[in-house]
Amino acid sequence: MSKHTELGLSEEEVLEMYRIMLTARRVDERMWLLNRAGKIPFVVSCQGQEVQQVAASFALNREKDYSAPYYRDVGVVLALGMSIKELMLQAFAKAEDPNSGGRQMPGHFGSRKLRMLTGSSPVTTQVPHAVGIGLACQMNNDDAIAFVTLGEGSSNQGDFHEGANFAAVHKLPVIIMVENNQYAISVALNEQVACEKISDRAIGYGMHGETVDGNDPFAVYKAVKQAADRAREGTGPSLIEAVSYRLTPHSSDDDDRTYRSEQEVKQAKENDGLISFREYLIAHNILTEENEREMEQTIKSLIDEATDYADAAPYASPDTLLDGVYQ
Amino acid sequence: MSKHTELGLSEEEVLEMYRIMLTARRVDERMWLLNRAGKIPFVVSCQGQEVQQVAASFALNREKDYSAPYYRDVGVVLALGMSIKELMLQAFAKAEDPNSGGRQMPGHFGSRKLRMLTGSSPVTTQVPHAVGIGLACQMNNDDAIAFVTLGEGSSNQGDFHEGANFAAVHKLPVIIMVENNQYAISVALNEQVACEKISDRAIGYGMHGETVDGNDPFAVYKAVKQAADRAREGTGPSLIEAVSYRLTPHSSDDDDRTYRSEQEVKQAKENDGLISFREYLIAHNILTEENEREMEQTIKSLIDEATDYADAAPYASPDTLLDGVYQ
Amino acid sequence: MPVVSYIEAIKTAMEEEMERDERVFILGEDVGKRGGVFRATEGLYERFGAKRVIDTPLAESAIAGVGIGAAMYGMIPIAEMQFADFILPAVNQIISEAAKIRYRSNNDWTCPITIRAPYGGGVHGALYHSQSIEAIFANQPGLKIVMPSSPRDAKGLLKAAIRDPDPVLYFEHKKAYRLLKEEIDNNEEVIEIGKANLLQEGADITVITYGLCVHYAKEAAKELAAEQGIEVNLLDLRTIYPLDQEAIINAVNKTGKVLLITEDNKEGSIISEVSAIIGEHCLFELDAPIKRLAGPNVPAMPYAPTLEKAFMVNQDQIKQAMLDLALF
Amino acid sequence: MPVVSYIEAIKTAMEEEMERDERVFILGEDVGKRGGVFRATEGLYERFGAKRVIDTPLAESAIAGVGIGAAMYGMIPIAEMQFADFILPAVNQIISEAAKIRYRSNNDWTCPITIRAPYGGGVHGALYHSQSIEAIFANQPGLKIVMPSSPRDAKGLLKAAIRDPDPVLYFEHKKAYRLLKEEIDNNEEVIEIGKANLLQEGADITVITYGLCVHYAKEAAKELAAEQGIEVNLLDLRTIYPLDQEAIINAVNKTGKVLLITEDNKEGSIISEVSAIIGEHCLFELDAPIKRLAGPNVPAMPYAPTLEKAFMVNQDQIKQAMLDLALF
Ligand SMILES: Cc1ncc(C[n+]2csc(CCOP(=O)(O)OP(=O)(O)O)c2C)c(N)n1
Ligand SMILES: Cc1ncc(C[n+]2csc(CCOP(=O)(O)OP(=O)(O)O)c2C)c(N)n1
Ligand SMILES: [Mg+2]
Ligand SMILES: [Mg+2]
């Protein structure tokens, strides 16, 4: 049996997963072009993490579950229902941006409609929030669960510890996914932590912990699916570590050549999960020359359209500066 | 071979350990009497934790090492050189109290002379401080190590996580001893954590972790001694969990009957490490009827003397209120 | 009509709100079985169960942060910080998160959390169980801060805080818990957040304060009225952030002489902002410098009774300052 | 004499102090190999090595707390917070610990740490990379807070902070990093903490401000002098906590008209305390209300350029406020 059928995923579903991963990549690439062209002041990238982001999201109930994504999660938010146009509106910081109306930098996601919590810049504050969602679900016998992501560097913040412990004590329906991309800006993994795996921290909370290859969509899907099942059954939270690599500089303000070798980055690019997933889909005749071309074209034209729209859209009026401080 | 000789401890040393444990207990008992008599407004107790406190301190180099004790550590501070008189001065909040000149509540230890960091009330802040001492020792090729204690409830604070991780990454000479007495005020262990052992958290930092019976002085001594050796060798920090039971209410302001049964407390009192250590010493002819009587008498008269002295000593003058805000 | 203490008023407010609205719940350290270290939640665990009166692990950032998450879901959490001094590990969650959730999401998400914390000194609490820490938060738009001065206000303001659609910090004075008692006639009263309360009118001097100091000021004013016939116009701020500018301006303009009082350290305190509002709006109405009476600029109240007393603003000092101002 | 930018001045101050005293070291996120995300520590890792320029895990409470521990040992840490906005997880360590170590130990222990953090807006940093957060700390005796307004001050005040026996928060403006440049003649200058700096004397109006706003005020004053002959008495606070009362009083008394400026939100800001000092000490010297110019009371500066611009206090506003006051 092929990997996807073993997991109960149809051909349509895996193709859809791939389409969203590719969309995330292409959106991100366009952001860099727009940044370099002086059109948008800032980009923070998903590149190298799309596979884990989309695979994990597909393991959720996307009609019901809550999410608290972090700034790199273009793949997550696309999978959970944000549109390319909406992403472009936030990149251009326009009034119509559903995340913040242009108030926040790109990468600060949030949508009540999508049950996606509003995020901030100080890292890791979202972990206790997701735990609070889990608590509320438990109190209300709501079948939904909370899915929260963060970088491995952020797992060293106190809020990670406090939130994870709280979730474990109350057996809350929460999935914490650490996207370990090997760096916290310039600080390499071995200067951030001395443990072998970030998921080793789970044992100290008494929750399930597991490290998976973030470049393998099936491994990620399976781990998150099982975590979701456990959460819904009431057996408590899980800590999933998805290991990948940050293929771009930290952000458009960073120069990663000051702290890592081009050789290292080049090698990581060869292990890009998007490549191997594509090969898998081709080998299984799910992706063909034809539908791939069509997919790329559709994505491109959607991005073009979204870019034009967002570029032309108005900024929030200065008159709105004082709105939304209090009800 | 007997347990103490196996560990290289002489008869004098174990007797001295016992003497200090007993002193801590007797000082604490006196504090409660003074409190109930309206002489001192507040007590926070060591009772039930003296064995682990003194045994751990004896495993340090008491001429050289740094400590950051927490509020229950009467045993630690006595072992590290604080006198009964000084403890009474702080209980009475008198000007001569070396810990704070009566500025802080009892249990807020600190003495530069004894390389004992000044402590505050917000729990767990001392963990990063001890790590900072470890860092300074490492930078200065100073052979000293930092020993820090906290309650198991406090191990759920962010500062525990951040401090432990920092120490592990830099392989700092630090020993973190969690004194697990089963309660954080009224909150029982299973409502604080879901892990099996607090020391399981060590694996998530990549440091040595170990749980020992806090009522067994030899187990505690051995674990801390080995941790000290590792720290001095440069192999990094350790997390030691010493398990015991809080025999008194949380403090003189608490009423523990609202949240735990008298039966449970009674049973814990039977397992009091002071009793079993005493039996051990008697069985090994180290403690005799004679030297025990003498020991009790000496302690009592020292406490009497210290109490009278501290009672009569002056409070800090109101004129000193503004001193010591800045240099 | 029953005589109710300040702490009973707090408990009753929570009880009634939990009764009224199923979404209201409490979380904090020792709030459950123990009923709170001050017994502010006594009986609520028994009445509403462990799911609505939650004993949390010892971790303030999680207490605030988990509460914020639950509030975003649509619940109405009341988070207790055991002492106001111990709110500091939660500052990031309160200022970066609770205060900014509505604004940063452009009104999409909201955070109706109430955070209660016992503040204040004079209770042998030493440096870390005596602090007034409101000034730390009183410059963060998105937050509201209330500090009740009486049982009636404690109840009505807590109800308002719980019903408020935005995050509210509620600081209650430890010494007031059992010191202040009064009859509460209207059980349903909800006191509007954002409005100061003119406690008594008077033509000679205006006194503006909040929290327990209101009690001392009232007593001092009573004495001065009886002894010297001095009439004090006394404004209780009630909400100390954002301030009720209009009430402040009106109160000052009535007498032209103003004394501002806080138990906190002086520099950078709530009454500094009150003074600035006055300096901006009432300058030509003033007949005397804007006088501030506050704690000394030392880190916090020491434990030794001599030093605690030397720190604490008291009724005698207040009376003297009022008299000096009246005679100015 | 070399022309030095604000950020170069900061780097040079650290470099010279590390050279002078072996106990001085740096810790923070990305301060090592990367040389800081703004490049404030560029070259220091190469020069002093990984043991004195330490890349820490991403955990601000540990950066502060470990620094505090090292300071108690006798080291002189310079802790960098990557953005002032991200100092908030470290508030407990700064306020409960650093600020109180000397006082609570009755002068037995000390904590000579310097905490640097880039603050301020106008750099497309949005809500969490634009904040002025000094007011949160400016009511905590035991702390000192400096905010330099020029390269020369940046250098001299940072040297003073590092040499200070007590904890000092040092907030540097991100927009000033490369905007402000000047010749620095005295390389060894250490600027005394606690003293304000009368930048220019003038008889018409007094302007009191700090940080980058000093630059805008200077420029506005230059224009007003040239265009309207208005003479501005300009006081740069330099140390914003505790404030230099005497300098404030003298500066105000000289003109009787005062404008206070901050980039921060208005309510509860540094200039509120400045105003209160004036209201207490200069009332009868004043010829006009104490005017405050500040950011609006919204949580922080939004990202969209329209909104960022609407938030940020700018030179034109300052000039207009000066003119209005002069004409009052
Ligand atoms: C509390 C806080 N401190 C510092 C920063 C600045 N910062 C932004 S991202 C980042 C690194 C995050 O690393 P990691 O968690 O591994 O996520 P990644 O960017 O690698 O996906 C830092 C230090 C921040 N946003 N918040
Ligand atoms: C940050 C903080 N929050 C709350 C408190 C109040 N408090 C004092 S001791 C304590 C319980 C501590 O439990 P644990 O760490 O297990 O130590 P134990 O008292 O059992 O020895 C609490 C909640 C505090 N001191 N600091
Ligand atoms: Mg990372
Ligand atoms: Mg305990």
Side-chain angles (χ1 to χ4, degrees), chain B:
Chain B
M1 216 159 58
S2 61
K3 284 187 185 173
H4 67 276
T5 44
E6 231 171 89
L7 292 168
L9 286 166
S10 70
E11 295 198 352
E12 291 69 38
E13 283 170 314
V14 285
L15 193 63
E16 176 66 1
M17 279 165 68
Y18 181 73
R19 192 188 60 76
I20 297 176
M21 293 169 193
L22 191 69
T23 305
R25 175 67 58 93
R26 297 292 177 252
V27 166
D28 205 90
E29 288 167 347
R30 180 65 61 89
M31 299 289 185
W32 281 92
L33 291 177
L34 291 166
N35 175 261
R36 293 315 182 211
K39 279 283 191 186
I40 60 174
F42 185 76
V43 186
V44 60
S45 270
C46 59
Q47 293 187 43
Q49 299 173 221
E50 299 93 336
V51 168
Q52 69 206 24
Q53 291 170 358
V54 176
S57 304
F58 268 68
L60 305 175
N61 182 332
R62 290 181 285 156
E63 304 300 312
K64 185 153 73 177
D65 293 339
Y66 287 76
S67 66
Y70 92 118
Y71 48 85
R72 290 200 196 286
D73 279 332
V74 181
V76 170
V77 304
L78 280 170
L80 296 181
M82 198 165 289
S83 71
I84 299 173
K85 188 168 130 187
E86 290 170 330
L87 285 172
M88 279 297 167
L89 283 162
Q90 76 140 9
F92 280 88
K94 295 303 174 71
E96 219 185 309
D97 156 33
N99 296 283
S100 76
R103 287 178 170 186
Q104 295 217 70
M105 299 176 95
H108 290 62
F109 304 112
S111 164
R112 198 178 175 85
K113 195 181 66 188
L114 299 175
R115 296 166 312 287
M116 184 183 291
L117 304 188
T118 169
S120 63
S121 308
V123 297
T124 329
T125 50
Q126 72 273 23
V127 174
H129 300 173
V131 176
I133 294 287
L135 181 68
C137 289
Q138 190 189 64
M139 290 169 100
N140 289 282
N141 296 314
D142 179 343
D143 200 21
I145 68 177
F147 172 68
V148 59
T149 58
L150 66 156
E152 86 292 346
S154 303
S155 79
N156 296 320
Q157 285 278 344
D159 269 3
F160 172 83
H161 182 67
E162 298 192 9
N165 185 60
F166 194 114
V169 169
H170 289 276
K171 287 196 182 305
L172 299 180
V174 177
I175 302 173
I176 304 173
M177 184 167 93
V178 171
E179 302 194 28
N180 180 351
N181 63 7
Q182 318 293 326
Y183 284 90
I185 308 187
S186 70
V187 184
L189 193 58
N190 68 329
E191 287 170 314
Q192 300 181 51
V193 299
C195 53
E196 277 175 41
K197 295 176 281 158
I198 303 289
S199 67
D200 284 344
R201 294 184 170 174
I203 187 176
Y205 307 119
M207 65 167 75
H208 177 89
E210 192 173 341
T211 294
V212 293
D213 178 358
N215 284 322
D216 177 350
F218 304 114
V220 175
Y221 179 87
K222 186 174 166 194
V224 177
K225 188 84 179 63
Q226 289 175 344
D229 290 345
R230 280 191 303 273
R232 259 183 263 277
E233 280 161 14
T235 41
S238 301
L239 174 62
I240 312 284
E241 175 189 19
V243 180
S244 64
Y245 189 92
R246 197 191 74 210
L247 296 178
T248 62
H250 173 72
S251 74
S252 52
D253 290 343
D254 185 31
D255 177 1
D256 60 340
R257 289 165 309 177
T258 56
Y259 54 82
R260 64 182 183 181
S261 72
E262 287 180 53
Q263 176 55 28
E264 180 187 307
V265 179
K266 194 168 153 256
Q267 194 169 325
K269 281 190 176 157
E270 284 162 18
N271 297 327
D272 184 353
L274 217 49
I275 300 176
S276 43
F277 192 27
R278 176 172 175 272
E279 280 163 6
Y280 176 94
L281 294 174
I282 291 173
H284 287 77
N285 256 321
I286 299 172
L287 195 68
T288 62
E289 232 175 277
E290 196 187 5
N291 67 9
E292 186 175 28
R293 195 176 338 111
E294 197 196 293
M295 193 184 275
E296 289 277 17
Q297 272 170 3
T298 312
I299 292 171
K300 182 174 182 308
S301 71
L302 285 171
I303 294 176
D304 287 345
E305 214 176 283
T307 306
D308 291 345
Y309 184 90
D311 194 11
Y315 286 118
S317 154
D319 303 343
T320 64
L321 178 69
L322 302 179
D323 297 351
V325 181
Y326 302 102
Q327 190 189 60

Side-chain angles (χ1 to χ4, degrees), chain A residues 124 127-129 131 148 150 155 157-172 174 176 201-202 204-207 236-239, chain B residues 156 161 192-194 201, chain C residues 57 62 66:
Chain A
T124 327
V127 174
H129 299 173
V131 176
V148 59
L150 67 157
S155 79
Q157 284 278 345
D159 269 2
F160 172 83
H161 182 67
E162 297 191 10
N165 185 61
F166 194 114
V169 168
H170 290 275
K171 287 198 184 302
L172 300 179
V174 177
I176 304 173
R201 294 183 172 173
Y205 306 119
M207 66 167 74
S238 301
L239 174 62
Chain B
N156 296 320
H161 182 67
Q192 300 181 51
V193 299
R201 294 184 170 174
Chain C
V66 171

Side-chain angles (χ1 to χ4, degrees), chain D residues 205 224 228 230 318-328:
Chain D
I205 62 168
L224 279 180
Q228 321 251 355
I230 293 169
I318 292 175
K319 187 176 164 189
Q320 187 61 49
M322 285 178 171
L323 185 61
D324 291 348
L325 185 61
L327 299 177
F328 187 92

Side-chain angles (χ1 to χ4, degrees), chain A residues 58-127:
Chain A
F58 268 69
L60 305 174
N61 182 332
R62 290 180 285 156
E63 304 300 312
K64 184 153 74 175
D65 292 339
Y66 287 75
S67 66
Y70 93 119
Y71 47 86
R72 290 200 196 286
D73 278 332
V74 180
V76 171
V77 304
L78 279 170
L80 296 181
M82 196 164 289
S83 72
I84 298 174
K85 187 167 130 187
E86 289 170 330
L87 285 172
M88 278 298 165
L89 282 163
Q90 76 140 7
F92 279 88
K94 295 303 174 69
E96 218 186 310
D97 157 34
N99 296 282
S100 76
R103 287 178 172 187
Q104 295 217 72
M105 298 175 94
H108 291 61
F109 304 113
S111 163
R112 198 177 174 87
K113 193 182 65 187
L114 299 175
R115 296 167 313 287
M116 185 183 292
L117 304 188
T118 170
S120 64
S121 308
V123 297
T124 327
T125 50
Q126 72 273 23
V127 174

